[in-house]
Amino acid sequence: NVGLHDKISAARLPDGGPLSSSVTRKMRKLVTIRNALVHDREVNAIDDRAAFVKDWESVEAALHEALPKSGGGSSCVVC
């Protein structure tokens, strides 16, 4: 079984380099919160929703920024 933390570790930029440490840290934080919501019956809400949304938007912007600008060169299946 490969979890989301493993997938973050394996993720690479289009040039083959690793994601920045700040993006990786934020992604791991988001995934930890997500995992608690999904797997822990005692967790029913995000404690600091504003911070969660801010981190989400920051990660999303960084990932979009990392995509090739030429259009068509990306192998991203989500974007």
Side-chain angles (χ1 to χ4, degrees), residues 6-75:
D6 297 317
K7 291 180 184 217
I8 292 169
S9 295
R12 295 289 175 258
L13 295 170
D15 67 4
L19 301 173
S20 74
S21 60
S22 65
V23 169
T24 300
R25 274 193 312 275
K26 286 179 185 175
M27 288 176 72
R28 289 188 186 285
K29 178 180 168 186
L30 295 170
V31 166
T32 298
I33 294 168
R34 177 258 179 211
N35 285 346
L37 286 166
V38 171
H39 300 293
D40 186 345
R41 291 180 183 255
E42 302 297 318
V43 178
N44 296 309
I46 298 170
D47 289 334
D48 188 348
R49 186 173 173 83
F52 183 90
V53 170
K54 181 180 174 186
D55 285 344
W56 177 276
E57 290 172 345
S58 172
V59 167
E60 183 180 34
L63 294 176
H64 279 287
E65 181 66 27
L67 291 175
K69 305 294 185 263
S70 61
S74 173
S75 61

